[in-house]
Amino acid sequence: LKTRHSALPVRGYLDPSITPTMAVLLSAAIFLLGGFGALLGSKLAPQETTQSTAWMYALAMIAQIPVVIAYAILRKRCGSRHIGTVAVIAFIVFVPMALATAAVLHGILSLAGLEPPTSLGHETLVNLTVGPWTMSKWVIVVCATIGAGIFEEVLYRGLILPTFVTVIGSKTAWSAIIATSLFFAAMHIGVAPISALVGLFVLSIGLCWARVKSGGVIAPILIHIVFNTMNIAFVYSTHL
C-alpha cells in the first residue's frame, strides 16, 4: 500500500497473525491475570509498604508470563525489521519531546496550584524515595524497567494497537496510534499527575511509531525499558 511519505501505511506493518478477537482475549487475560497476581501479592505483606508493592508488581508480572509466551508463539513467523535504527530514531525524537511536554505542563499546573511542586511523575518513583534502599526496591526497579517494558509493550503495542487499526479501518495507522496512546495514558490515571499523563501520551505515540516502522514490539520494548531506567536513575541521583 503506497502512501505519501508522512503517512504510516497499515498493510505490511500491522497485519498480525493474531486476529482482533484473539487480541482482545489475550489483552483481557493480561488484565485479569495481572490483577489476580497483584491481589495475591498485596496479601503477602503489610499494606502500603515497599514490600507489599514489590510483591504486587512481581506476582502480577509472573502471572502474565503465559500470555506473553502465547503472543511470542503466535508471532514467531512475523519478524521485525531495522530494530536498532527505528529504536534510536524514536528514542531521540519522542523521549525528549515527552519529557519536555510533561515538564512545561507541570510547571504551568504547579504555578496554577493544580499540581504539587514535586518533580516525580509516577507513584512508583515516589515509593522509591521512601525509606532505605532494600531488596524490595530492587524488585520494584526490575519490574518497573524490564517487566513494564515487556508486558506493557506486548499489551499496548502488540495487541491493542493492531486491534484499533482493524476496528478504525483507516488507510494509515495514525488514528489507531492516537487511540492507543489515549488508552495508554488513561490507564495511568491515579498513579501519575496530569502533566505526566500528557507526557506518556506523547511517549506512546513514539512507541507506536516504532511498532509500526519495525513491524514488531522489540523496538518499543527497548525504548520503554531505557525510558523507565532513566527516570529511576534520575530519582536515585537526586532524591536518595
Side-chain angles (χ1 to χ4, degrees), residues 146-210:
I146 298 174
I150 295 174
F151 292 101
E152 290 191 4
E153 290 313 307
V154 168
L155 173 62
Y156 293 104
R157 260 58 66 173
L159 296 171
I160 292 176
L161 175 59
T163 302
F164 274 134
V165 168
T166 301
V167 171
I168 294 174
S170 176
K171 291 183 178 180
T172 72
W174 281 115
S175 297
I177 286 175
I178 298 299
T180 302
S181 299
L182 286 171
F183 185 64
F184 177 72
M187 290 303 296
H188 289 80
I189 293 175
V191 298
I194 295 174
S195 58
L197 294 178
V198 176
L200 288 173
F201 170 78
V202 175
L203 175 67
S204 177
I205 292 177
L207 294 171
C208 290
W209 181 87

Side-chain angles (χ1 to χ4, degrees), residues 5 8 16 28 31-32 41 70 85 87 100 110 123 129 150 179 187 205 209 212:
H5 181 71
L8 287 178
F31 282 115
L32 292 174
T85 302
S110 295
E123 188 177 87
T129 65
I150 295 174
M187 290 303 296
I205 292 177
W209 181 87
V212 174

Side-chain angles (χ1 to χ4, degrees), residues 9-28:
V10 174
R11 195 175 305 281
Y13 291 87
L14 283 174
D15 285 351
S17 58
I18 303 172
T19 65
T21 300
M22 188 181 300
V24 171
L25 292 176
L26 289 174
S27 299

Side-chain angles (χ1 to χ4, degrees), residues 1 31 49 67 72:
L1 178 65
F31 282 115
T49 62
V67 181

Side-chain angles (χ1 to χ4, degrees), residues 74-103:
L74 291 168
R75 285 274 306 173
K76 65 181 179 180
R77 294 184 179 179
C78 304
S80 298
R81 61 185 71 84
H82 311 303
I83 297 172
T85 302
V86 170
V88 169
I89 292 174
F91 188 89
I92 291 175
V93 173
F94 289 98
V95 168
M97 191 184 303
L99 293 174
T101 300

Side-chain angles (χ1 to χ4, degrees), residues 36-162:
F36 175 77
L39 178 62
L40 180 60
S42 68
K43 306 297 183 182
L44 299 179
Q47 294 291 317
E48 298 184 359
T49 62
T50 303
Q51 292 85 352
S52 176
T53 301
W55 276 110
M56 289 173 63
Y57 280 20
L59 291 187
M61 291 185 177
I62 290 173
Q64 296 173 67
I65 288 177
V67 181
V68 174
I69 293 175
Y71 175 81
I73 292 173
L74 291 168
R75 285 274 306 173
K76 65 181 179 180
R77 294 184 179 179
C78 304
S80 298
R81 61 185 71 84
H82 311 303
I83 297 172
T85 302
V86 170
V88 169
I89 292 174
F91 188 89
I92 291 175
V93 173
F94 289 98
V95 168
M97 191 184 303
L99 293 174
T101 300
V104 171
L105 185 57
H106 173 68
I108 295 173
L109 294 178
S110 295
L111 290 174
L114 299 177
E115 279 189 5
T118 177
S119 59
L120 301 180
H122 197 286
E123 188 177 87
T124 299
L125 299 178
V126 176
N127 290 337
L128 291 175
T129 65
V130 179
W133 196 267
T134 62
M135 182 58 68
S136 294
K137 288 190 176 182
W138 281 115
V139 172
I140 294 174
V141 167
V142 172
C143 291
T145 53
I146 298 174
I150 295 174
F151 292 101
E152 290 191 4
E153 290 313 307
V154 168
L155 173 62
Y156 293 104
R157 260 58 66 173
L159 296 171
I160 292 176
L161 175 59

